[in-house]
Amino acid sequence: MNEPAVSHGPAAYAVFGNPIKHSKSPAIHGAFAAQFGADVSYRAVAVPLEAFEEKVAAFFRRGGSGLNVTVPFKERAWAMADSASDRASKARAANCLIPLEGGGLHADNTDGLGMVRDMVINQGWQLAGRRTLVLGAGGAVRGILQPLLAERPASLTVVNRTAERAQQLATEFADAPLSISAGGFDSVAGCEFDLIINGTSAGLAGEMPDLPEGLLSERCCCYDLVYQSEPTAFMRWAAARAAWAVTDGLGMLVEQAAESFYLWRQQRPSTAPVIQQLRELMTP
Ligand code: NDP
């Protein structure tokens, strides 16, 4: 891997992951920087699994101004930081590292906030008072639970193929003002929801979690964290059940990037044109 050369050039940012080849983050951050006429470089860097901590330290030693972290390094990014936001600590994972003035690194997790902003601001969905169902109990779901709870849903249920992982998550959030119900997919048979969020990676293989029928209320909104050029299996499932609104996670991707950009530069980019630009590029 070539380490970004960052000593006296533009402010240097990067995303570290493995694999990273198809990352849209350089294009997104390039578009944000252009909005402010900022001299910024942003690279996607494939980091060997065994070398993550060493590469992060080297990046900041060489003057890096901020780092995004993606699969499979988010937990390790949080673990190696000197301080962390509440939402990153609750998720035990970070997608954003910020250099501290006196040295050291601060960890944050902007994924959940990005999702909530996409739902509330871009889609115009109301989250307060909604009976909310989350599918999946992996890293992404861990990251969205606290920002979701902050929106005060009427109830929050997490179901997963491996029921124990959902139950474990509910236990970890036991101190939240709202207690999370958890179980396997069939545990929600006979229940109705106003918001269903797919946080499984099933869609990457074109699959749909094996859910009972009758889950969607009359005005149910359905959100897939996965984004693809075509509607995902979950989006097709929701549309076939007359969901009131259905969307994918492209807006979340751009919003989490915008929050990172803000944390690093205290400048809030305009996200709508960037989402539209990416959508056009992805449309077959
Ligand atoms: P993990 O590998 O940590 O978790 C995967 C989850 O999907 C687990 O709950 C797993 O269940 C479940 N799962 C996998 N395959 C199936 C299947 N065939 N049927 C039912 N459940 C299945 O992944 P992440 O949590 O990190 O990511 C989840 C998705 O969210 C990814 O597709 C990722 O691309 C997307 N994402 C999108 C973001 C965005 O900005 N839009 C940001 C972050 C993530 P089990 O526990 O039983 O194995």
Side-chain angles (χ1 to χ4, degrees), residues 136-140 160-162 165 199-202 204 207 225-226 249 253:
N160 192 42
R161 180 174 60 182
T162 313
R165 288 186 79 192
T200 74
S201 51
L204 297 179
E207 291 172 13
L225 262 54
V226 171
L253 177 76

Side-chain angles (χ1 to χ4, degrees), residues 70-71 74-75 95 111 115 135-142 144 159-163 165-166 185 198-205 207-210 223-227 248-254 256:
T70 189
V71 177
K74 290 183 186 179
E75 288 80 7
N95 70 335
D111 281 337
M115 183 197 72
L135 315 175
V141 169
R142 187 179 280 283
I144 65 172
V159 291
N160 192 42
R161 180 174 60 182
T162 313
R165 288 186 79 192
F185 293 142
N198 180 29
T200 74
S201 51
L204 297 179
E207 291 172 13
M208 173 64 206
D210 192 12
Y223 192 97
D224 199 343
L225 262 54
V226 171
Y227 48 86
D248 67 9
L250 189 67
M252 170 179 175
L253 177 76
V254 175
Q256 64 75 27

Side-chain angles (χ1 to χ4, degrees), residues 233-247:
F234 172 76
M235 291 169 74
R236 294 197 306 273
W237 173 89
R241 282 152 187 81
W244 185 67
V246 183
T247 193

